[in-house]
Amino acid sequence: MLNPRQIITLIFVTLLAPILFAQSTTIGPITVDATSLYLDPAPSSFQPGSARSPDGHTIGLNQRYLTLDGKPWLPVMGEFHFSRVPADEWEDQILKMQAAGVNIIATYVIWIHHEEVEGKFNWTGDRDLHRFAQLCAKHHMYLYVRVGPWAHGEARNGGFPDWLVAKGPTRVNDPTYLKYVTGFYRAIGQQLHDLLWKDGGPVIGIQLENEYANRTANGGEAHILKLKQLAIASGLDVPLYSVTGWDNAAIPSGAVLPVFGGYPDAPWDASPGNLSASEVYTFRFGSRVAGNMGMIGGSATAHTTSTDTPFITAEMGAGIEDTYHRRPVISANDVAAMFPVMLGSGVNLYGTYMFQGGENPDGEFSTLQESQATGYPTDVPIKSYDFQAPLSEFGEERESLRKLKLVNYFLNDFGDQLAPMIPHPPSTLPKTPADLSVPRLSVRSSGERGFVFVNNYVRGAVMPSRPSFQLKISLPNSTLLLPDQPVDLPTGSYFVWPFNLQLGDAHLRYSTAQLFTRLSNPTGSTFVFFCLSGIRCELSFVDQPGMTIHGTHGRVLRANGVITATDLPPALDTTLSLRFEGRSPAQILILSQQHAEDAWKLRLKGEEHLVITKQQFFASDSQVTLQSDKDPAFQFTVIPTSPAWPFPASRTTVRQQSNGTTTVSAHLPVAHPTLVLTPIKQAGTAAPVKIGPPPSWRPQGVPQAPEEDTFDAAAAVWKLSLANASLSNLGNLYLRVDYVGDIARLSNGHHLLVDNFFNGDPWKIGLKRFVNRNQTGDLLLQILPLRGDSPVFLEDRIRKTIPTTGQTEQLRSVQLIPQYNLTLPTTHD
């Protein structure tokens, strides 16, 4: 028999010892089995259109990836709706997208923008598709044209003209409908004549319809096939044809490529509160369909998708459009954390929607936005289609652009190596997108080579830090511990690590720094990495006979056939030089993440450089442009040094530094625009928010945008008078409005210029386009009060500042912000 002391001891051992043991035991490496034999991809059943350009270049694909000239190709695509941006701004915005590493521009052709009056097409000015395609060609950007005819894009009637809706059935093989589609497609074909890939032009793809799941007798796959037939007959013969692949889409095999997507939030959702963790932050190993992509017409069907075609995306949300009832604020990390997740899931074309924000043009008979009044499930602003995109509706670069650029540049230089690689899951996966306990990662590999994709970020949640993080990757002929000694992963981190990668003649075993880009020059290549905040920064190499390594900073350890450069401080002069007897050296530059976000690639006289600057940046073949908000002082660093550039210019100081860089500074004259704000009318009492009817696929109605007479009755009004608003030497002149309310509008007399659904962020308006149109002479600012009982969704940090009773209307501040423009030539006469 046990005595009382023995009984207490037994209870302690039985109940508490496992807990103490677990706390004191180091968790072992996360295992990934990548031993499966690599098989070359089989041909796809998809039959491309004319795939050869006049100069012999070809675009193709197999079951796994796209090809360019027969080689693996992993491009980056960004959405830019030309008819939602003034034509005189197109060229700069194309160049900004190119500077951010985008290769392909995708654009809707929104039918109602071009044939609002039956039989009267408008392809002029801001609607000139031909000129937009020419500009893409001029700057060596591919173009993917989304011809619909139903586009959605939060446009009125999904893009259909009102007169077409009145004719009868649409989106089916109805003779009357197809007659009008034929005319629309024919007009597009005329616009793009001689601009298709087969003609030496930039147009490489056509998207048919959008979110199409109609399975009626005259719909389904037969309708998609009919649309493709009409497109080809209209002259739209291109290598690639696609349809959106979510929402149980109709996808005729061999005829079209399904494209996929996902968003960080769901503004079409009826919920007035925070949504559960989005699927876009969880790797997709079983399905290509996102869990939150059931927009118009039904919920997403999470089926396993055929692997007959590459996994390509068209709508990875680079932001979100605020709807009246739901107004999420999307951060740069919300957007950028999806990138490694999707690449780790096997994506072989990354398409962002939107990359360039815009605004709806004025209609002749109506406003042109989606609304519940026109039978659609949400209300969006009348004018603004900003989408919180990396480039705002006024062309301003946002933080998300720089974070996306980190991976865009990697894909530009190393996508051909990643594209053939196959995803491998870890041994343990999260049970649901809301399961934060399990590390989220994937390995893509081909034989012994590959990349690790890790995501420890979820919008709206705090992911736990991951102490002693280490992977054990089983490869066909070896096992790799990555890194050799565990590292701690901070909460909110996400990244890509390479392993068994050739850097010239050097064999990189692994890196805990992220591979960024490559500078290819006649003297050799420089491989650029950046360190990740809070993670030990090191690169490990296979030691080879005759190999020496020199680092400007950090420690170099050499043992057991391995050379490891560790504790590398990120800096502009942190470099590694790997030399081999009788072979070319490998040069490596290791930046901080901030320096990498501030870095832009630039080719000067056949050599590639990095320009590092906090200013906004873009370049053409002949000049570089930097833009600075508020501050007329400019500064940038060129790596490696370029003694012949920049050319001498007024107000520009150039210094050659001893560390092999060039620093450039300039100071422009200070602009002094002034603003006079005059109160005109105090706010009245806002009417209670009405709830609209629920669509068939959503269980409840959502708040409706107020009717027009509400603004006359309840909005507070101010007059804005500008002086010294010259745009000389300015890229733009911004009006920053910090307010609290429901909706704000800026008008010129009775003409609405732009509007904004309050979400807590200050509203920033680019006045350049309005100055150029002489529309700034009589500006009126209206703010409609926000009722405390309004059921619209606002982020928690914003909602808690709004009183629960009464109404709130507050104009905190209004200020003018000049955007200074520095232009430097890159060629010298």
Side-chain angles (χ1 to χ4, degrees):
M1 177 179 291
L2 300 176
N3 62 39
R5 183 182 297 246
Q6 290 172 319
I7 293 172
I8 292 172
T9 302
L10 180 61
I11 293 172
F12 178 84
V13 171
T14 304
L15 298 180
L16 298 182
I19 298 174
L20 297 177
F21 183 79
Q23 290 177 339
S24 63
T25 301
T26 301
I27 299 173
I30 300 167
T31 59
V32 180
D33 184 354
T35 58
S36 57
L37 181 65
Y38 179 83
L39 299 175
D40 289 330
S44 171
S45 67
F46 173 77
Q47 297 299 311
S50 295
R52 182 177 293 275
S53 68
D55 54 2
H57 294 295
T58 60
I59 289 176
L61 75 158
N62 52 49
Q63 288 187 341
R64 195 174 301 151
Y65 53 84
L66 301 172
T67 62
L68 182 62
D69 296 335
K71 299 177 181 178
W73 185 39
L74 205 169
V76 179
M77 184 164 70
E79 192 88 8
F80 177 175
H81 297 164
F82 68 96
S83 59
R84 282 173 157 160
V85 175
D88 59 2
E89 298 176 21
W90 287 348
E91 189 161 20
D92 282 358
Q93 302 317 110
I94 290 171
L95 290 171
K96 289 177 184 179
M97 292 178 70
Q98 184 179 66
V102 175
N103 316 114
I104 306 171
I105 289 178
T107 191
Y108 274 136
V109 184
I110 300 174
W111 195 342
I112 194 172
H113 291 185
H114 301 282
E115 196 187 5
E116 191 176 0
V117 179
E118 182 180 352
K120 183 182 176 184
F121 280 104
N122 183 358
W123 300 102
T124 63
D126 300 344
R127 295 166 168 85
D128 191 342
L129 174 59
H130 184 80
R131 178 168 176 256
F132 183 76
Q134 285 180 318
L135 287 173
C136 290
K138 175 182 176 182
H139 296 295
H140 318 292
M141 294 285 274
Y142 302 104
L143 183 60
Y144 208 111
V145 184
R146 305 175 79 177
V147 299
W150 189 86
H152 193 207
E154 288 70 56
R156 182 182 179 89
N157 309 322
F160 284 158
D162 288 2
W163 60 263
L164 178 70
V165 176
K167 296 288 184 180
T170 60
R171 306 183 73 186
V172 291
N173 287 341
D174 173 81
T176 301
Y177 173 64
L178 293 178
K179 179 185 74 171
Y180 290 112
V181 172
T182 299
F184 179 51
Y185 279 7
R186 186 179 298 124
I188 296 173
Q190 292 169 353
Q191 285 290 303
L192 298 177
H193 180 67
D194 290 336
L195 288 166
L196 305 179
W197 176 254
K198 68 182 181 66
D199 306 313
V203 182
I204 63 170
I206 295 291
Q207 181 179 302
L208 305 166
E209 251 290 342
N210 189 31
E211 298 165 350
Y212 187 76
N214 189 336
R215 292 301 197 280
T216 60
N218 292 323
E221 295 183 3
H223 182 55
I224 297 297
L225 290 171
K226 184 63 177 179
L227 291 178
K228 182 178 179 182
Q229 177 189 347
L230 294 178
I232 293 172
S234 300
L236 299 174
D237 179 7
V238 294
L240 306 176
Y241 297 89
S242 63
V243 294
T244 48
W246 55 87
D247 201 15
N248 195 27
I251 308 170
S253 177
V256 292
L257 301 169
V259 297
F260 299 92
Y263 288 87
D265 201 280
W268 55 88
D269 191 279
S271 172
N274 293 313
L275 301 180
S276 58
S278 173
E279 181 270 350
V280 296
Y281 302 107
T282 307
F283 290 88
R284 300 181 189 178
F285 294 112
S287 173
R288 296 178 177 181
V289 182
N292 71 352
M293 288 296 285
M295 291 191 279
I296 303 298
S299 60
T301 301
H303 59 276
T304 301
T305 307
S306 168
T307 56
D308 180 56
T309 59
F311 186 1
I312 58 181
T313 61
E315 288 197 26
M316 294 309 302
I320 209 73
E321 179 71 351
D322 281 336
T323 57
Y324 179 74
H325 74 279
R326 188 166 183 83
R327 310 176 188 188
V329 177
I330 305 302
S331 75
N333 287 323
D334 291 344
V335 168
M338 296 189 295
F339 214 151
V341 171
M342 299 308 299
L343 290 178
S345 300
V347 161
N348 271 331
L349 182 154
Y350 197 92
T352 51
Y353 187 104
M354 299 286 298
F355 201 95
Q356 165 70 60
E359 66 180 28
N360 293 313
D362 295 331
E364 292 191 42
F365 307 112
S366 66
T367 57
L368 299 182
Q369 87 284 11
E370 173 181 326
S371 66
Q372 294 188 66
T374 54
Y376 276 67
T378 62
D379 294 289
V380 299
I382 290 174
K383 295 290 292 183
S384 177
Y385 198 65
D386 177 76
F387 220 82
Q388 302 181 47
L391 291 167
S392 80
E393 63 184 298
F394 300 105
E396 185 176 34
E397 174 199 304
R398 289 193 168 108
E399 181 186 1
S400 56
L401 180 142
R402 297 192 175 213
K403 290 190 181 296
L404 291 175
K405 173 169 62 70
L406 297 178
V407 183
N408 290 349
Y409 277 21
F410 162 70
L411 294 178
N412 292 170
D413 289 327
F414 304 98
D416 59 334
Q417 296 185 47
L418 176 63
M421 294 180 177
I422 299 170
H424 304 282
S427 57
T428 303
L429 295 171
K431 294 181 177 62
T432 68
D435 178 4
L436 310 182
S437 65
V438 178
R440 302 176 180 209
L441 60 98
S442 172
V443 167
R444 280 182 71 173
S445 66
S446 169
E448 301 292 300
R449 301 180 305 120
F451 296 90
V452 175
F453 301 86
V454 176
N455 177 40
N456 202 31
Y457 180 94
V458 173
R459 168 176 158 78
V462 178
M463 293 287 277
S465 58
R466 312 286 181 187
S468 301
F469 180 85
Q470 188 180 40
L471 302 181
K472 182 180 180 181
I473 307 173
S474 298
L475 299 164
N477 300 308
S478 65
T479 298
L480 175 67
L481 277 179
L482 195 171
D484 287 331
Q485 298 298 319
V487 295
D488 295 336
L489 296 190
T491 179
S493 57
Y494 51 90
F495 51 83
V496 183
W497 283 344
F499 63 87
N500 290 332
L501 185 71
Q502 285 299 128
L503 303 181
D505 287 323
H507 180 149
L508 178 70
R509 293 178 62 240
Y510 68 79
S511 167
T512 63
Q514 183 161 321
L515 183 57
F516 176 38
T517 189
R518 175 175 54 209
L519 303 178
S520 298
N521 293 315
T523 56
S525 293
T526 298
F527 298 91
V528 186
F529 292 75
F530 64 87
C531 297
L532 300 157
S533 179
I535 298 174
R536 185 180 69 248
C537 192
E538 68 183 31
L539 284 75
S540 179
F541 302 89
V542 173
D543 196 354
Q544 301 178 49
M547 175 179 172
T548 61
I549 182 170
H550 173 70
T552 55
H553 300 286
R555 296 184 299 136
V556 175
L557 309 176
R558 193 169 199 162
N560 302 320
V562 172
I563 300 177
T564 301
T566 189
D567 297 332
L568 297 166
L572 295 183
D573 63 347
T574 296
T575 60
L576 295 174
S577 178
L578 285 73
R579 299 187 177 277
F580 310 86
E581 290 182 1
R583 288 181 287 173
S584 300
Q587 301 296 328
I588 297 172
L589 173 64
I590 298 143
L591 304 174
S592 68
Q593 180 166 333
Q594 187 60 62
H595 278 140
E597 290 179 15
D598 293 342
W600 309 86
K601 286 186 77 167
L602 177 66
R603 179 172 289 276
L604 297 168
K605 295 186 175 180
E607 295 191 355
E608 291 186 326
H609 300 262
L610 290 180
V611 173
I612 299 181
T613 180
K614 291 190 176 299
Q615 273 93 36
Q616 300 178 53
F617 174 95
F618 59 98
S620 67
D621 290 338
S622 60
Q623 67 182 32
V624 162
T625 301
L626 293 94
Q627 295 177 329
S628 172
D629 288 359
K630 191 180 292 187
D631 188 355
F634 290 80
Q635 185 168 342
F636 62 91
T637 299
V638 184
I639 302 176
T641 187
S642 178
W645 187 85
F647 304 110
S650 61
R651 305 189 186 92
T652 301
T653 301
V654 180
R655 294 185 176 90
Q656 306 297 335
Q657 305 295 336
S658 59
N659 63 359
T661 67
T662 300
T663 60
V664 183
S665 58
H667 200 289
L668 300 184
V670 178
H672 297 285
T674 58
L675 172 68
V676 176
L677 187 69
T678 306
I680 299 296
K681 174 179 171 292
Q682 291 186 343
T685 301
V689 174
K690 296 180 181 179
I691 304 298
S696 60
W697 52 270
R698 197 167 59 192
Q700 64 195 74
V702 297
Q704 281 186 306
E707 297 176 356
E708 281 302 304
D709 56 9
T710 305
F711 286 86
D712 295 333
V717 183
W718 293 263
K719 180 181 178 181
L720 280 67
S721 301
L722 303 179
N724 301 319
S726 169
L727 293 176
S728 177
N729 295 321
L730 295 182
N732 213 324
L733 180 62
Y734 287 100
L735 180 71
R736 185 181 186 272
V737 182
D738 189 358
Y739 77 100
V740 180
D742 188 15
I743 300 176
R745 291 180 171 181
L746 184 69
S747 302
N748 171 256
H750 296 289
H751 176 217
L752 177 63
L753 299 177
V754 66
D755 53 348
N756 177 259
F757 288 169
F758 170 77
N759 64 10
D761 280 356
W763 183 27
K764 200 169 179 183
I765 306 160
L767 297 177
K768 175 182 177 180
R769 64 187 58 167
F770 307 127
V771 171
N772 289 343
R773 297 169 180 170
N774 297 315
Q775 293 176 325
T776 57
D778 188 18
L779 293 177
L780 294 178
L781 174 66
Q782 293 177 290
I783 298 178
L784 188 68
L786 176 66
R787 290 176 60 102
D789 61 0
S790 173
V792 303
F793 169 78
L794 295 168
E795 301 284 357
D796 289 343
R797 63 181 174 83
I798 305 301
R799 173 56 72 181
K800 69 182 182 182
T801 67
I802 306 298
T804 57
T805 59
Q807 65 180 33
T808 302
E809 163 272 312
Q810 182 183 5
L811 184 58
R812 293 169 171 161
S813 66
V814 181
Q815 63 180 132
L816 290 175
I817 301 174
Q819 182 187 73
Y820 294 92
N821 212 66
L822 176 67
T823 301
L824 298 172
T826 57
T827 57
H828 201 43
D829 295 335

